[in-house]
Amino acid sequence: MCPADVMERKGVASRCVTSTSYSARGKLSREAISPGATFKKNKKRRRALGILKSRSSGHLCDSGSNLPAPAPVQVGKDSFGSDYIENLKQNDISTEFTYQTQDAATGTASIIVNNEGQNIIIIVAGANLLLNTEDLKKAATTINKAKVMICQLEITPEISLEALTMAHSNGVKTLFNPAPAIADLDPRFYTLSDVFCCNETEAEILTGLAVGSPADAGKAALVLMERGCHVVIVTLGAEGCVMLSQTEPVPKHIPTEKVKPVDTTGAGDSFVGALAFYLAYYPHLSLEEMLKRSNFIAAVSVQAAGTQSSYPYKKDLPLDLF
C-alpha cells in the first residue's frame, strides 16, 4: 500500500452507530444514534468543504502489488456508494469485494473543523454494519495471501475479530486500530494484533488511564501490553507517538515535525495506512524508523483540508521516505 493511496479509516469494525467528538487534547464524546438513521448530503457543500465523507470497511496490502487491495466492503446503493466505488477505481484499487446494498445507506461522517484545524465527527455507520461472515469467506483467498491486514471498529466487532483471526491464522501481519474505541473490547483483539495502534483518547477508553503526555501514553501502552499485545503504538497528534513492544519493553517517544494544521481529520488514518505500507514493503526498517516516516506523512496530511483529499501522493513526498 502506497501512503499516497491510503484510504479513509481502513479496517473492520463498530458495534453501534456513534456520534464521536474529538478536540485537540480533550476527551472523546460518544453518543448512540439509531442504526436505521439515514444521512442526507448537500452535494455542493460536500465538494466545496469536504465535510462529508463515505466510510469504508477494510483494506489489506496485497502481496502482488504496491496498491491496497480492499477487504470486503459494504456500501449503500446510493450516490455516496457509487462515488466511493468510482474513487477506488480512479486510484487503481480493485472493487472485486465491494458490494452495494439496498438495505442501508452508505456509511457517512459529518466533519466540522475549527480555526485550529481540530475536528468534531459524527459517524453514521449505515451499510458498514451489514458486512458479514459470508462476505469475508468470499475474500478469504485474497486475505490469506496478503502481507498486512488493517482492521478497526467501524463494522461489527464480531466481523472485525473474524477477519483478524482469518489473517492471523494464515501468517498475515495484522494491524489493529481500535477506533471508535469500546471499553469492553474482546480480549482476543489484543492477542491477534501484531501491531495494536490507538490514539490517546482510545487509549484512555481502553485502559481507564488519563493520557495527556508521552509519559502517560507509555503507562497506558504498558497496560495494553499486559493484555497480550505484541507491539503497542499510541499516537499523540502533534506530539508524535509512543511505541512499546515485547522485544523493546520500555516505552519510547517518537516526536514528529511541528506544523500548522489546517484540518486534522483523517491524520490517524494517514498514519495507520503509512505504517501498513512500511510493514508490507519495507520490513527491513526498524519499527522506530517506520513510525518516524508515518509521523511525517500524517503531518503532511493535516496541512490540507479534507480526509482522503488531504493524503499526499508518493510523487509529492520526499524520496528519502522510500
Side-chain angles (χ1 to χ4, degrees):
M1 180 189 293
C2 173
D5 301 313
V6 170
M7 305 306 291
E8 190 179 57
R9 283 271 184 224
K10 334 277 167 300
V12 200
S14 147
R15 181 181 305 277
C16 64
V17 186
T18 57
S19 166
T20 311
S21 172
Y22 291 94
S23 62
R25 310 290 306 170
K27 303 287 185 181
L28 173 68
S29 153
R30 295 160 58 84
E31 178 180 331
I33 297 177
S34 166
T38 59
F39 194 96
K40 296 182 179 180
K41 67 175 178 177
N42 179 317
K43 202 168 191 179
K44 184 176 181 182
R45 195 172 187 196
R46 174 174 178 259
R47 289 174 176 170
L49 302 180
I51 60 171
L52 305 180
K53 290 290 180 180
S54 299
R55 310 296 290 184
S56 67
S57 62
H59 279 85
L60 43 87
C61 296
D62 192 285
S63 59
S65 72
N66 282 0
L67 290 172
V73 176
Q74 281 276 9
V75 297
K77 208 167 186 62
D78 49 35
S79 59
F80 271 143
S82 297
D83 287 350
Y84 194 86
I85 292 171
E86 182 59 29
N87 186 33
L88 291 175
K89 291 178 178 178
Q90 288 183 4
N91 283 279
D92 296 322
I93 298 171
S94 170
T95 58
E96 180 180 359
F97 305 113
T98 302
Y99 308 113
Q100 283 189 286
T101 177
Q102 293 183 327
D103 295 331
T106 299
T108 52
S110 175
I111 305 167
I112 301 171
V113 182
N114 67 15
N115 290 335
E116 285 72 48
Q118 305 305 323
N119 61 71
I120 294 174
I121 306 174
I122 299 174
I123 298 172
V124 179
N128 285 7
L129 300 182
L130 300 183
L131 198 69
N132 57 45
T133 297
E134 290 306 311
D135 295 329
L136 287 182
K137 288 180 178 178
K138 292 175 185 175
T141 301
T142 299
I143 291 172
N144 294 341
K145 70 178 183 180
K147 292 184 177 181
V148 176
M149 182 164 187
I150 310 170
C151 293
Q152 46 108 274
L153 294 175
E154 288 183 8
I155 63 168
T156 58
E158 293 79 13
I159 298 301
S160 182
L161 190 59
E162 190 173 341
L164 277 176
T165 302
M166 181 185 294
H168 187 78
S169 64
N170 284 278
V172 177
K173 188 173 288 294
T174 53
L175 171 52
F176 181 60
N177 173 218
I182 50 178
D184 60 341
L185 188 67
D186 189 307
R188 289 174 291 177
F189 278 107
Y190 301 108
T191 56
L192 288 171
S193 305
D194 291 309
V195 179
F196 191 96
C197 181
C198 58
N199 66 23
E200 67 264 53
T201 307
E202 292 150 3
E204 287 187 0
I205 292 171
L206 293 167
T207 67
L209 300 176
V211 179
S213 68
D216 292 341
K219 293 175 183 176
L222 286 167
V223 172
L224 296 173
M225 283 292 293
E226 290 172 358
R227 296 178 184 176
C229 294
H230 303 283
V231 174
V232 175
I233 300 161
V234 180
T235 59
L236 299 167
E239 297 300 316
C241 63
V242 167
M243 60 171 277
L244 182 65
S245 69
Q246 291 183 354
T247 56
E248 298 182 54
V250 178
K252 185 167 187 177
H253 179 215
I254 313 296
T256 190
E257 178 184 357
K258 300 297 182 184
V259 299
K260 181 175 176 55
V262 172
D263 182 354
T264 57
T265 311
D269 300 328
S270 178
F271 178 94
V272 169
L275 177 58
F277 166 76
Y278 289 118
L279 288 168
Y281 300 113
Y282 291 80
H284 62 281
L285 292 177
S286 67
L287 178 61
E288 181 175 349
E289 182 60 28
M290 291 182 189
L291 297 180
K292 287 179 180 178
R293 298 185 188 196
S294 299
N295 272 342
F296 181 91
I297 292 168
V300 170
S301 78
V302 305
Q303 296 177 70
T307 45
Q308 292 183 28
S309 59
S310 73
Y311 301 152
Y313 285 91
K314 182 176 181 179
K315 64 181 177 61
D316 299 321
L317 291 168
L319 290 176
D320 58 9
L321 290 176
F322 310 100

